[in-house]
Amino acid sequence: MTLNVLFSARPEKWEAYQTVLNSACQTAGLAVNLQQEMDPALVDYIVFAPNGPISDFGQFPRLKATLGLWAGVESIVNNPTLKTPLTRMVDSGLSEGMAEWVTGHVLRHHLGMDAQICNQNRTWQPIVPPLARNRSVGMLGLGQLGTACARALAGLNFPVMAWSRRPRTLDGIETHHGAAGLAQVLAQAEILVLLLPLTSATENILNVENLNLMPKGAVVINPGRGQLIDDDALLGALNCGQISHATLDVFRQEPLPADHPYWAHPNVTVTPHVASETRPETASQVIAENIRRCEAGEEMKFLVDRAAGY
Ligand SMILES: NC(=O)c1ccc[n+]([C@@H]2O[C@H](COP(=O)([O-])OP(=O)(O)OC[C@H]3O[C@@H](n4cnc5c(N)ncnc54)[C@H](OP(=O)(O)O)[C@@H]3O)[C@@H](O)[C@H]2O)c1
């Protein structure tokens, strides 16, 4: 039986996915009719990006599952028209890319690279950084991406303290959960990485109170979601030196508006939501495997917990 799979994402993604997704489905033993447009009455599965055209899932009477192309699901998780299972993207390429981006930005601040790279005016001012083993990194979120980043940083000898909703254990990483755990992580984090999903429980988690728990002069790196940070609180903390630098990849409004104070702030680095991208080759294998599982009556991988919001 041929399965009708609707690909709902930006047009440029179709070009990137059409061949590799068809081929991954074939390898998984699936016969699929993969299209960008289709009679809604015939759709079995939707491959879904939140910035694509679909928001009303009520128009697909045969829909068996929606397979997200993004790791973050905040814009779909509360959609009342979606009554069938939703999976999110967990992709080895996405995790690898995030570990590289986070490690690069942690090392920039740890080594004080800016002082050397930007200061080429013949001043000879050696500043020796501590070893990584003496620089504590806090990781808020110890999921697929937080785990990959924590492992990469611990591999360089950074002491990593991580925080999650439920208790977790990870070799070589000090793990915490709950409100008391958050305070413990923040109190030690000279460099703090945010890799939490956006939910009602995590919105504005980096507020005045929590910023003040961090060591003076700490660095914030946010590749998670813009709404994790209370922007006014962060700007205040940057202006008084409580936070020495913020490297921000994600924002409440994207693209970041031209008049946003982050652009002009000397201690803020803005990157345009590039920390990590879903890679079509590896992501297609995940989607094909989940369709195969659903057809075989097996549990799909990476199901979103709609109650928890991620
Ligand atoms: N900038 C980019 O390019 C980019 C790319 C991809 C993803 N992202 C962002 O990265 C986020 C994380 O992705 P992921 O795949 O690592 O997600 P994930 O596997 O679902 O992990 C989320 C982590 O956050 C923890 N968490 C959730 N709610 C919490 C709460 N209320 N208190 C404490 N911890 C909480 C979870 O705790 P448990 O372990 O207890 O569940 C888990 O450890 C995505 O949601 C997305 O927003 C950004």
Side-chain angles (χ1 to χ4, degrees), residues 69-74 88-91 94-95 98 101 139-148 162-168 176-179 182 194-203 205 222-226 228 249-250 254 271-278 302 308-310:
L69 283 172
W70 290 16
V73 292
E74 67 276 5
R88 66 189 198 89
M89 183 46 65
V90 172
D91 159 34
L94 189 66
S95 302
M98 186 61 83
W101 188 90
M139 183 73 59
L140 301 192
L142 192 58
Q144 297 291 334
L145 302 178
T147 297
W163 186 66
S164 54
R165 187 167 63 94
R166 297 161 288 189
R168 299 251 169 227
H176 299 267
H177 67 282
L182 176 61
L194 303 183
L195 271 169
L196 292 163
L198 173 59
T199 68
S200 55
T202 62
E203 186 166 6
I205 197 145
N222 185 18
R225 281 291 181 265
L228 299 174
D249 184 56
V250 283
E254 295 180 6
T271 61
H273 201 143
V274 291
S276 193
E277 269 285 312
T278 304
F302 318 126
Y310 65 100

Side-chain angles (χ1 to χ4, degrees), residues 105-171:
H105 286 278
V106 166
L107 284 173
R108 169 192 172 194
H109 294 296
H110 165 63
L111 296 173
M113 286 182 181
D114 291 17
Q116 262 72 52
I117 292 170
C118 305
N119 182 7
Q120 296 290 303
N121 60 0
R122 303 181 193 197
T123 51
W124 189 265
Q125 268 180 336
I127 303 167
V128 180
L131 288 173
R133 67 180 68 255
N134 296 317
R135 176 91 70 190
S136 297
V137 178
M139 183 73 59
L140 301 192
L142 192 58
Q144 297 291 334
L145 302 178
T147 297
C149 295
R151 283 205 174 112
L153 293 169
L156 292 171
N157 293 333
F158 287 103
V160 181
M161 288 139 304
W163 186 66
S164 54
R165 187 167 63 94
R166 297 161 288 189
R168 299 251 169 227
T169 51
L170 185 62
D171 267 1

Side-chain angles (χ1 to χ4, degrees), residues 234-248:
L234 178 58
L235 285 163
L238 285 159
N239 291 337
C240 73
Q242 169 60 14
I243 297 299
S244 63
H245 199 100
T247 293
L248 308 174

